[in-house]
Amino acid sequence: MIRSWQRWNDASRKWLWILVIVGIVASLPVIVQRVQTESSANKVEFVFNYRGLLDIASYQANPAAYMDEQLDRLKAAGVNTIAMFESTLDELSKARRIMVFNALDVAKMTQTVVSPEGNYTYIAFTSTENEQELRPMIEETFRNLDIPVMPWRYQDREGLAIGLGMEEAVMKPMQMDPFAFAMLRDKGFNILPRLSDNIRYDQDALDQELSFLAENGVKRILFDGESVKGYQDNGAMNSLQGFADLLNKHGIGLAAIENLKAPQKGLNTLAYLTDYNIVRLHSLSDTEAGQDKKTLSDRFVLATKDRNIRMIYLNASPSKDAAKAAITNPINNLIDSLQGPEGAIQRIQDNGFEMGQAEAFEIHDSSWQKYLKAFVVLGGVAFCALLVSYFIAPLTLLVFLLGLIGSAGLYVLKPTLFEQALALGVAISAPTIATILAIRKVKEIKGAHPDISAGRRLTHTIVLYIKTALISLAAVPFVIALLNNITYSLVLNQFRGVSLLHLGPIFLIAVYVFLYQGSSVWQELRNWLRMPITLIWVVAAAVLGVAALYYLSRTGNAGTLLPGEAWFRSFLENTFGVRPRNKEFLLAHPLFIVGIFAAFRYRWALYAMVIAVMGQLSMVDTFAHIHTPAVLSLIRGVLGLGLGLIVGLIAVLIWHIIERCWDKWSPRLLKP
């Protein structure tokens, strides 16, 4: 019975490889539709924050003239959209449409003593036109909040007294400033409204507002704050569904800000209810707006090309410069970063994009994908079972069968978790198996040809380098097919387990190299456990621990760059158009090549595979960034392989020279 099961396990490996190939073939049409989706929206939109410009203008000698001049400059530079927040008393005051006073101000103006009971906010309109347009809006806002509003006069100016302290009253959101809205539209700007969820949801009022926005060319809304419009009242009013219905009715989509500390609450629900009429937005903070214009240009170009960003949001604010004894702002720097042959706009257009209002991706997701994905799942489970077969061969069939049963159950209970778990399993399996097969091939060739020549060593090394890369990249079709969902491209959903992907193959290859090279696993394990622990081992373990922590820190977006690395990255990007990963072509790939070359003579050189597998897993990890176009990820991987081969051949040449010198001089050095 045991022998029969063992025969079945041995024979199953061939069939499992066949299932892997079937899964790859089945994934190809899915990959084609992924590429079609990614190429369906190529318009990029630059947006400037109106509130920031208003703050800057408020420090100028002639705010209105300055505002007019800067808007014209921004328009000429390629900024075609202005983001407008819901207005506040503070914003209207900076725009010189009203004057705002507190109770103490009024007491001083009337030469009376301030009352201990009244802490009202008083506003005076600066013109009759402002009073006629803004008074109904202000009264409606505060009365809807059950805050009393009464007539008030300041000299010969009409005004209002609001039964709320000034500090709080100036924060309450109202409709957008109608004068600013009309002025921006007259200048030809598109408007990106920023709506908050700070006031009670009103379906009818919102219907009127969206109707007005749609009539004025608004195509997209960006939310302000931690949640989307209607989120707080959703439990009582089902307001998210109502809001989504209004957005669909008026043909208005959404924008999602990338890299927020926490996603805006309710955004995923709204995105689903609007059929993912949503685009990704990259926001440049006002503190970053003063960076070197070349740095900013590179940043905008990378955002659109590498991360499916279709809206660039520019913030700016005034700041005090003590050295210049002046109030400065970064508007000139931002404009310079956009203009000219080296400016962001020209470079973005050179990459095949157009300037215009951003459009959502046209999702290509045919009904037959689910049938093909069944074969992809079968192949993915087979890939994971193959990994087990190289460590615990008797469990191969059992793992495959349990994998199928577990996949079926997890698909029913938590389909998102299922597709991510299987994609992670395949992503770990492929580079691990590829490296194990390379190690086995080296041992096989070395056993058959102990005195293999340097030329043949190099030939076998290059062949193994290419073969190993192809087997590792076999995981890519599975990752793409399993995670082919627009939510990943828009980063509304993210692939989990990146740290495990970066550590798993390294750990497994370490286990294989250290324990599977002798007569038995248990004997090798006993030998290692009996080895005395010296100070050198402790220091080495500490160094490896620090290196591992730094390595893991580089897997996310918050990793610390080494000195000069930012410049080197920019150089690679501008030289090749696509930046290969440094750890691939400078470390892992060359180490693989020189390690395999050396291992044909020295068994201990195979330990280098523990680090070299980083290059294989990194290629797969590149495709796990679903928000990066698949074609660009492929170019990045191939470029890394090519440059890694060049660096590796140089390393082999140096190693071979060292070998020749050692062969010639070691007998004399070791001679007693």
Side-chain angles (χ1 to χ4, degrees), residues 445-446 449-458 460 597 600-601:
I445 295 174
K446 185 181 178 184
H449 306 282
D451 299 321
I452 185 172
S453 66
R456 292 191 63 190
R457 287 163 64 193
L458 181 59
H460 284 298
F597 181 83
F600 283 116
R601 280 191 64 177

Side-chain angles (χ1 to χ4, degrees), residues 62-335:
N62 189 333
Y66 181 85
M67 172 76 74
D68 187 70
E69 177 189 358
Q70 299 309 314
L71 286 173
D72 289 340
R73 293 181 66 213
L74 288 168
K75 181 74 173 177
V79 177
N80 291 320
T81 301
I82 300 295
M84 291 192 66
F85 289 80
E86 294 165 318
S87 63
T88 61
L89 294 180
D90 181 61
E91 183 177 305
L92 295 175
S93 176
K94 288 180 179 178
R96 307 297 179 94
R97 311 199 197 287
I98 62 173
M99 299 173 65
V100 183
F101 309 99
N102 59 23
L104 181 60
D105 294 330
V106 172
K108 291 178 179 179
M109 290 186 298
T110 57
Q111 298 182 348
T112 59
V113 178
V114 64
S115 169
E117 298 177 356
N119 186 29
Y120 284 13
T121 299
Y122 302 86
I123 63 173
F125 299 100
T126 57
S127 71
T128 302
E129 183 183 13
N130 289 337
E131 190 259 337
Q132 292 175 347
E133 187 73 28
L134 298 178
R135 183 178 191 130
M137 182 179 79
I138 296 173
E139 289 179 336
E140 180 183 10
T141 297
F142 285 96
R143 284 172 179 165
N144 286 341
L145 296 173
D146 297 325
I147 297 172
V149 181
M150 298 151 287
W152 180 74
R153 289 184 63 86
Y154 171 61
Q155 296 179 355
D156 60 340
R157 298 290 182 183
E158 293 292 333
L160 294 170
I162 302 171
L164 190 67
M166 178 177 171
E167 290 76 9
E168 186 176 353
V170 296
M171 297 171 57
K172 298 301 182 183
M174 300 178 284
Q175 297 176 26
M176 288 181 289
D177 181 350
F179 295 102
F181 191 98
M183 179 266 294
L184 293 171
R185 289 296 292 155
D186 289 342
K187 284 185 171 293
F189 284 103
N190 301 313
I191 305 297
L192 177 67
R194 298 208 61 175
L195 304 186
S196 68
D197 195 32
N198 297 331
I199 56 178
R200 190 163 45 242
Y201 183 83
D202 187 326
Q203 182 82 357
D204 293 334
L206 194 56
D207 188 13
Q208 294 179 7
E209 183 177 2
L210 293 182
S211 176
F212 169 77
L213 294 176
E215 291 172 0
N216 282 274
V218 171
K219 298 296 183 183
R220 220 151 283 285
I221 286 174
L222 180 63
F223 295 106
D224 177 33
E226 297 180 352
S227 60
V228 305
K229 189 79 172 179
Y231 176 80
Q232 295 186 37
D233 297 314
N234 188 56
M237 304 173 61
N238 195 24
S239 48
L240 289 182
Q241 180 65 65
F243 187 28
D245 291 340
L246 292 179
L247 291 171
N248 293 331
K249 172 184 174 182
H250 297 290
I252 296 176
L254 309 172
I257 306 173
E258 72 161 349
N259 292 335
L260 289 177
K261 292 182 178 179
Q264 291 177 307
K265 299 173 184 177
L267 183 63
N268 283 26
T269 301
L270 269 186
Y272 171 76
L273 293 174
T274 56
D275 294 326
Y276 297 103
N277 183 7
I278 185 170
V279 301
R280 299 191 71 213
L281 178 146
H282 175 73
S283 179
L284 179 76
S285 69
D286 49 6
T287 57
E288 297 170 318
Q291 293 176 346
D292 177 72
K293 62 182 181 180
K294 181 64 167 58
T295 301
L296 293 178
S297 177
D298 289 345
R299 177 172 175 170
F300 301 150
V301 173
L302 282 175
T304 55
K305 184 178 66 175
D306 279 24
R307 303 196 301 278
N308 283 334
I309 297 294
R310 295 297 179 266
M311 299 183 82
I312 307 291
Y313 190 98
L314 307 177
N315 286 288
S317 63
S319 60
K320 294 181 180 180
D321 191 329
K324 297 179 180 178
I327 303 295
T328 62
N329 67 78
I331 291 181
N332 290 338
N333 190 57
L334 289 174
I335 291 176

Side-chain angles (χ1 to χ4, degrees), residues 633-660:
S633 295
L634 179 61
I635 295 172
R636 174 170 285 132
V638 173
L639 188 58
L641 283 170
L643 293 176
L645 177 60
I646 295 172
V647 177
L649 291 176
I650 296 173
V652 165
L653 176 61
I654 297 172
W655 178 265
H656 185 56
I657 293 173
I658 295 173
E659 272 188 355
R660 294 291 299 272

